[in-house]
Amino acid sequence: MRRPLRTHGYRAATAVALACALTAATQQGAQADPQTLTDVQKELESLYHRAEVATDKYNAADGKVKAQKKRVGSLDSQVRTTEAKLTRLNSLAGAAARAQYRGGGMPAELQFALARDPGRALDNAGLALRAQQNTQNLLTDLKTTKSALRTRTDEAAAELKRLQASRHAMATQRRTIEQHIAEAKLLESSLAAKERQRLADLEKKQSDQAQAKWESTGILKKVGTDTTTAGQKAIAFAAQQIGKPYVWGAEGPDSFDCSGLTSQAWLAAGVTIPRTSEMQWAQLKHVPIEDMRPGDLIIYFSDASHVAIYVGGGDIISAPRPGRYVYKSPAASMQILGVVRPEA
């Protein structure tokens, strides 16, 4: 029989605040008024999971904004370069026209008729005509290029505004989730120390049971134990971060979120991978779980909202969630979606 949740002498104001927080959570689809440790655990898992999803989406939106800013900057630079070429060519064309004027502006036909060497005059006239025509063609091409670049720049700037608006929406959503995290922390703080320990024990028990079930399939006899030099470097980097706190959107050096840890670990190994767990799942090479090796990344949950680096022996290193620290834990302690390999 599950024991009821004890609050051990809550003051009335604290109890009211907790009730209000749980009411807000209910409006967002979370369970309200949890009565058992299991319910509390589910409540916390739900809130932290939604927080991680929101963080991943914000990171993805922020990455798109940064990339688009670079694109707009590059296009602006191309426009300025084209404008400089146009100015220079216009100046040269003007200089040529002034030189012709100073030379009397004599038509090519008359120059040919009066020349001592008609053949050379004809050649000179032809060269001048071709040069003039080439300059005019180049001017026309540059004007067309400038117009096209300006159109692309305007379109890119409009897309940047759209992406910035999307990022703002993701930031707003993240702030809402932060409120849910505050509710979760309030919920945790409502438990007496003995109850918090029982909750931690319950989490560990469930984690151990899930790991034991996974290992009972014989999976550890199938997965690889050797890794590449790059994989070793990535694992070594992740191991050096153990004990550092989880912070939303952090990529080190003092704190990390889950995908911040894995992306920086592989960057330390000389391999650039996508920033978020969703993008890592979408863009990196998928490998069967039984073929994974140390250094590969394990993606968790159906929405690919969490990621960890596999270090061998059935263990992972990950940045779990707010309030926790980078640590080593059983690979099957969460719902495995699949495995990706950063190396080609």
Side-chain angles (χ1 to χ4, degrees):
M1 179 177 178
R2 295 181 297 187
R3 296 169 57 192
L5 176 63
R6 299 193 304 272
T7 57
H8 290 283
Y10 256 156
R11 291 182 303 174
T14 304
V16 170
L18 178 59
C20 291
L22 291 174
T23 299
T26 303
Q27 293 172 351
Q28 296 297 326
Q31 290 181 338
D33 192 22
Q35 296 297 318
T36 66
L37 282 177
T38 301
D39 291 330
V40 172
Q41 183 191 42
K42 289 180 179 179
E43 178 82 12
L44 295 175
E45 286 178 353
S46 173
L47 290 170
Y48 283 124
H49 178 75
R50 289 161 59 193
E52 195 158 38
V53 171
T55 299
D56 225 27
K57 289 183 178 179
Y58 175 83
N59 288 340
D62 188 55
K64 289 179 180 178
V65 167
K66 290 177 180 177
Q68 190 68 6
K69 280 184 176 179
K70 289 182 179 179
R71 182 170 178 242
V72 171
S74 176
L75 287 170
D76 277 335
S77 177
Q78 292 179 52
V79 169
R80 289 193 296 270
T81 299
T82 303
E83 287 175 339
K85 288 181 179 179
L86 273 170
T87 299
R88 180 171 174 272
L89 279 174
N90 277 320
S91 178
L92 290 174
R98 289 191 295 273
Q100 183 181 15
Y101 178 77
R102 287 194 298 270
M106 187 179 294
E109 297 89 344
L110 187 57
Q111 292 182 36
F112 173 74
L114 298 178
R116 294 181 180 180
D117 186 348
R120 176 171 292 180
L122 184 62
D123 289 341
N124 289 340
L127 287 173
L129 183 61
R130 285 198 295 275
Q132 184 180 9
Q133 186 61 50
N134 287 341
T135 299
Q136 188 58 49
N137 289 343
L138 187 54
L139 281 169
T140 300
D141 289 344
L142 283 172
K143 288 177 181 177
T144 301
T145 299
K146 176 187 174 182
S147 177
L149 281 171
R150 177 52 62 192
T151 298
R152 288 171 58 194
T153 301
D154 290 343
E155 291 174 348
E159 176 66 6
L160 176 59
K161 287 184 179 180
R162 188 190 70 79
L163 290 172
Q164 287 173 327
S166 176
R167 182 179 64 177
H168 178 72
M170 292 300 102
T172 299
Q173 182 180 359
R174 193 171 77 164
R175 284 193 294 271
T176 300
I177 299 298
E178 284 175 340
Q179 294 175 357
H180 296 165
I181 293 298
E183 295 162 9
K185 289 181 177 179
L186 178 61
L187 191 58
E188 281 185 309
S189 68
S190 72
L191 302 173
K194 187 179 295 186
E195 296 292 350
R196 288 198 295 270
Q197 184 58 52
R198 287 184 59 228
L199 182 58
D201 291 343
L202 178 61
E203 291 178 352
K204 185 178 185 306
K205 179 180 178 181
Q206 292 178 341
S207 172
D208 291 343
Q209 288 175 341
Q211 182 73 6
K213 181 178 179 180
W214 186 62
E215 292 184 7
S216 70
T217 64
I219 187 67
L220 294 185
K221 295 179 181 179
K222 300 176 183 178
V223 300
T225 56
D226 296 328
T227 187
T228 62
T229 300
Q232 291 173 349
K233 290 180 179 178
I235 292 171
F237 178 91
Q240 291 172 358
Q241 314 315 312
I242 290 177
K244 293 183 179 180
Y246 179 107
V247 173
W248 279 8
E251 299 176 83
D254 300 321
S255 57
F256 296 87
D257 64 12
C258 68
S259 54
L261 176 65
T262 54
S263 60
Q264 289 301 304
W266 272 98
L267 184 61
V271 180
T272 300
I273 64 174
R275 169 63 179 85
T276 69
S277 58
E278 288 182 354
M279 293 171 65
Q280 289 170 9
W281 175 245
Q283 297 181 24
L284 297 180
K285 178 184 177 182
H286 289 210
V287 297
I289 294 179
E290 59 268 20
D291 292 337
M292 74 175 176
R293 65 191 184 201
D296 287 345
L297 305 182
I298 301 181
I299 308 296
Y300 293 94
F301 307 115
S302 59
D303 52 8
S305 59
H306 190 72
V307 61
I309 183 168
Y310 181 64
V311 297
D315 291 328
I316 56 172
I317 292 177
S318 72
R321 64 170 174 81
R324 298 289 176 86
Y325 300 83
V326 176
Y327 75 136
K328 188 175 181 181
S329 61
S333 56
M334 297 169 284
Q335 177 194 349
I336 295 176
L337 176 61
V339 177
V340 294
R341 180 162 296 162
E343 296 172 285

